[in-house]
Amino acid sequence: MNNKQSWVETWGMSHAPLSLMSFSSRERTFRLIISSAISGERVRIRLCNQYSDNAVAVGRATIAVCDKSGKINDISTVRQILFKGKEEIALNKGEKIISDETEFNVPADSYICADIYIK
């Protein structure tokens, strides 16, 4: 039996100059609706500040099972995402980070909402 852990990328936001990191004038929460074709028991998310000229402060990130419109029907599925054990992080220009592993039951053929609060 092979106990080696492997990660599978199930969704990625396309790279574009207009992204959630480029709104530095006001605090905002962005809800990204992810369609997952496969199931899993843990998640990680990757954030990148590639297009902003300034550091970006992430105040909180969560993930939950939702429907295709982004509505969370069962609040017990909401999980907080941490980065190096912290809720809040700052990403300098060009910096990337992958979150800590978060236990989260990802059902196959489901929708998942990632909420990211930008300070």
Side-chain angles (χ1 to χ4, degrees), residues 16-43:
L18 182 60
S19 69
L20 63 95
M21 298 297 186
S22 66
F23 292 95
S24 60
S25 61
R26 294 197 301 191
E27 297 180 11
R28 296 173 190 248
T29 298
F30 293 88
R31 174 164 286 176
L32 307 173
I33 302 169
I34 303 158
S35 174
S36 180
I38 61 173
S39 64
E41 298 171 353
R42 291 180 301 281
V43 295

Side-chain angles (χ1 to χ4, degrees), residues 14-79:
S14 62
H15 297 284
L18 182 60
S19 69
L20 63 95
M21 298 297 186
S22 66
F23 292 95
S24 60
S25 61
R26 294 197 301 191
E27 297 180 11
R28 296 173 190 248
T29 298
F30 293 88
R31 174 164 286 176
L32 307 173
I33 302 169
I34 303 158
S35 174
S36 180
I38 61 173
S39 64
E41 298 171 353
R42 291 180 301 281
V43 295
R44 296 186 304 187
I45 64 171
R46 179 177 50 220
L47 300 177
C48 175
N49 185 13
Q50 183 171 347
Y51 296 108
S52 175
D53 289 330
N54 304 308
V56 173
V58 177
R60 182 176 171 89
T62 60
I63 194 160
V65 175
C66 64
D67 64 21
K68 66 181 178 180
S69 71
K71 181 179 178 188
I72 299 170
N73 293 314
D74 183 357
I75 199 153
S76 72
T77 68
V78 177
R79 299 289 181 269

